[in-house]
Amino acid sequence: SRSAVNRWRNRDDDISDVTIPKTKLQDVSRLPDGRDCSEGNLAAVLQRNGYRTGIVGKWHLGDDNDNDDYDYDDFQEHVQSCGFDYAEAVYAENLWHEIYRNERHSHNMEYMTERAINFIEDDDDGDDDRPFFMYFNPTVPHEGADVYEALTEYSCTRTPRGRINDEPNVPGMTSDMSCREYRQTVIDRAQGRRDNRSLGAIWLDDSIGALLQVLEDSNQLDNTFFLFQMDHGQEGKASLWEPGVRIAQFIHYPDAFSRDSQFQGMVSVIDIAPTILDYAGINSNSLGYYPMDGASWRNAVERDTDWRSFNTQRCLFYEFEEDRAVRCGCYKYLELKSGSMTYEIGEDS
């Protein structure tokens, strides 16, 4: 995990300072430029086991963005070396980063969604019948750049790669109208709200809807493991309190569970990779498999395991800067720079 990498880097310190900029993907071969991430991640394992792999959107896991001579093509090539056959509409960082201060482009969900659709439809090679894995990481509604400004002052043809000639053609977004007309509908549906969260949620919702529609039209939706989740808590972001570490996660996979299924068990983002690999039939004997901190929750969900019983079988650990926390079942202990405490979490928490 990213935190484990950081603990190794700071192994001589009393308490590691765990922050995202210091916990990127590990350099497998310890190359001088720190660019080798060709193994030890989900995409690389799936790629080695017969999957077509792609990424669209924000990368946020490399150090290339710190280079003064940042070049999109070089960055794209580096991302592909981390286990991806396809890397398009990739953003190195959040849009507030200095590499984007030239203001050549901003959020562009139409372009990002079109690139994702092209990967799903495999436009480059229609004969490729391999199963696919796609990591789709939108830039909205993050605070990196103003969403209203992106909708009103930037065009769909301004992309991370540079200007493109034709506007993206996306079902349900720009297939029946121009990009400018579509973006005005996003603003109109926000009913006067111009904050990033309101506008970004609408823009993102349309994008996800387009992806789901393409999967349905190509008869792939029911057998596609579709995971949608937040990247962090909202009100408690950057804290180890429950609002900071608990996030929404939705999964659509009719071949495995019904529409109204819910699981209240204590799971974590570190469980995503082992769970996906479990459903893909990839195990410790498969090519490229590596030890992981998380565990697959497939059996617990499919067997309708009682979540209370499930929660007693594991503890989850959390880190941010010099704060630490552990939750075992209904009990959580926090060790903060300002002090420590233990409390019980109710069944409805």
Side-chain angles (χ1 to χ4, degrees):
S1 68
R2 295 195 301 189
S3 61
V5 173
N6 192 57
R7 283 195 298 274
W8 180 87
R9 290 176 178 172
N10 296 277
R11 58 195 180 279
D12 296 327
D13 298 339
D14 291 334
I15 300 178
S16 298
D17 182 13
V18 180
T19 56
I20 290 177
K22 299 179 181 178
T23 52
K24 301 299 185 180
L25 283 175
Q26 187 173 14
D27 176 16
V28 176
S29 300
R30 307 204 188 287
L31 299 179
D33 62 4
R35 290 168 58 93
D36 181 20
C37 54
S38 59
E39 60 184 82
N41 65 75
L42 176 60
V45 175
L46 289 166
Q47 186 183 55
R48 292 189 181 188
N49 287 275
Y51 274 73
R52 185 168 56 91
T53 57
I55 173 176
V56 177
K58 185 171 67 174
W59 177 234
H60 206 21
L61 287 172
D63 295 326
D64 293 56
N65 45 37
D66 292 329
N67 298 334
D68 294 333
D69 57 347
Y70 166 81
D71 177 80
Y72 180 83
D73 291 334
D74 289 344
F75 168 66
Q76 181 186 38
E77 182 179 349
H78 166 53
V79 173
Q80 285 184 289
S81 73
C82 295
F84 294 100
D85 301 306
Y86 180 96
E88 289 290 342
V90 282
Y91 290 72
E93 271 285 1
N94 292 318
L95 284 161
W96 49 255
H97 198 276
E98 61 186 30
I99 63 174
Y100 294 120
R101 288 179 183 167
N102 53 34
E103 298 183 352
R104 290 178 298 182
H105 64 280
S106 184
H107 302 292
N108 191 338
M109 291 305 298
E110 299 86 2
Y111 177 69
M112 196 180 297
T113 308
E114 184 187 57
R115 297 296 94 183
I117 291 173
N118 286 350
F119 174 73
I120 293 173
E121 295 181 336
D122 194 19
D123 280 357
D124 293 333
D125 183 1
D127 296 328
D128 195 335
D129 59 357
R130 290 177 295 168
F132 73 85
F133 165 78
M134 181 173 67
Y135 175 45
F136 183 77
N137 189 8
T139 58
V140 297
H142 200 277
E143 300 290 338
D146 188 79
V147 177
Y148 180 78
E149 182 179 283
L151 289 166
T152 57
E153 298 184 20
Y154 290 82
S155 73
C156 291
T157 59
R158 295 172 69 172
T159 77
R161 178 182 291 281
R163 281 193 177 271
I164 57 176
N165 295 324
D166 300 320
E167 291 188 348
N169 186 346
V170 182
M173 296 174 75
T174 58
S175 56
D176 298 322
M177 64 185 77
S178 70
C179 177
R180 181 62 58 203
E181 291 172 327
Y182 162 69
R183 290 186 171 184
Q184 185 59 51
T185 72
V186 175
I187 296 171
D188 293 343
R189 282 177 283 162
Q191 299 180 337
R193 298 186 298 274
R194 294 189 176 184
D195 60 284
N196 287 346
R197 187 179 299 184
S198 298
L199 291 168
I202 296 170
W203 209 0
L204 175 60
D205 191 61
D206 288 349
S207 171
I208 298 300
L211 298 181
L212 292 172
Q213 188 62 55
V214 168
L215 289 170
E216 185 173 23
D217 291 345
S218 58
N219 296 317
Q220 299 182 83
L221 182 58
D222 284 356
N223 69 345
T224 297
F225 186 96
F226 193 102
L227 185 149
F228 178 95
Q229 74 169 35
M230 302 164 59
D231 63 343
H232 53 69
Q234 290 296 315
E235 304 305 328
K237 180 183 178 182
S239 79
L240 301 185
W241 299 102
E242 289 300 281
V245 299
R246 298 187 66 171
I247 59 176
Q249 182 183 89
F250 307 94
I251 297 171
H252 182 273
Y253 191 32
D255 279 6
F257 26 81
S258 63
R259 179 189 300 269
D260 298 324
S261 296
Q262 292 188 20
F263 183 62
Q264 301 295 332
M266 193 170 64
V267 300
S268 171
V269 292
I270 60 175
D271 300 331
I272 292 176
T275 299
I276 289 177
L277 294 175
D278 191 1
Y279 276 106
I282 297 172
N283 55 44
S284 58
N285 296 319
S286 302
L287 292 173
Y289 198 91
Y290 62 100
M292 304 178 203
D293 293 332
S296 171
W297 42 252
R298 177 181 180 178
N299 288 338
V301 172
E302 292 189 352
R303 295 172 182 173
D304 198 25
T305 301
D306 180 76
W307 65 269
R308 297 171 187 83
S309 173
F310 179 84
N311 286 356
T312 61
Q313 300 173 26
R314 73 182 316 193
C315 296
L316 292 179
F317 298 86
Y318 312 94
E319 302 174 301
F320 184 73
E321 295 183 346
E322 296 180 10
D323 294 338
R324 303 291 185 267
V326 56
R327 177 174 173 181
C328 299
C330 292
Y331 290 91
K332 183 172 181 178
Y333 174 79
L334 293 95
E335 182 74 37
L336 310 176
K337 290 190 69 175
S338 58
S340 62
M341 64 198 69
T342 302
Y343 65 93
E344 184 175 4
I345 301 172
E347 292 188 359
D348 58 344
S349 300

